[in-house]
Amino acid sequence: MGDRWTVLVLRELFLGSHRFEEIQVQTQATPQMLAGRLKKLESDGMIERRPYNTKPLRYEYYLTEMGIGFYPVFLAFRAWGETWCKTSKQKVAIRYTHLPCGKDPGLGPTCQECGKEMRREELSAALSKPFIAERQERREAFKRGQV
């Protein structure tokens, strides 16, 4: 967990990216670096591979129960980054709705409105327009071969 690339891979899995190329595009990791991180996360029990194509054999990557258990740590990284790494004019990259109460839970790890623990399955995520644009630009650059 101690390196940037592993945290970025986990971020993508939490955001719903499951395929190698999707994860590579958004993390901007080299294929070798990403393959190494995915193998390590799998051997550590954080993720599992599931085949989605047989010819050629291709896998999707999913968080295991252990991987999902990392979510509070991910929220802590998010809160720190949103607090300390942005100007006051920049928007929150991912705005959540806490499904049990229907409110913005804040930066967590507990909902600022109802006080319940923020659990991944009880949060609905909406990416900010700048974050969507940033992700789209990475996708376009990847298609152009500029990554």
Side-chain angles (χ1 to χ4, degrees), residues 73-146:
V73 178
F74 174 75
L75 289 174
F77 280 137
R78 173 183 175 259
W80 184 85
E82 293 290 352
T83 302
W84 299 105
C85 298
K86 290 187 162 186
T87 67
S88 59
K89 293 181 181 181
Q90 290 176 301
K91 292 183 178 183
V92 173
I94 305 169
R95 184 157 312 279
Y96 289 107
T97 299
H98 189 221
L99 299 175
C101 70
K103 304 284 184 180
D104 178 348
L107 295 176
T110 59
C111 177
Q112 67 186 1
E113 294 295 325
C114 68
K116 287 186 174 180
E117 176 186 1
M118 289 173 36
R119 301 172 49 87
R120 181 174 177 263
E121 65 273 11
E122 296 179 345
L123 294 171
S124 175
L127 306 184
S128 69
K129 287 181 182 179
F131 192 40
I132 290 169
E134 178 184 319
R135 293 174 66 81
Q136 185 60 38
E137 177 52 36
R138 280 198 290 267
R139 208 172 282 115
E140 294 301 321
F142 185 84
K143 288 179 186 177
R144 293 188 305 266
Q146 296 176 341

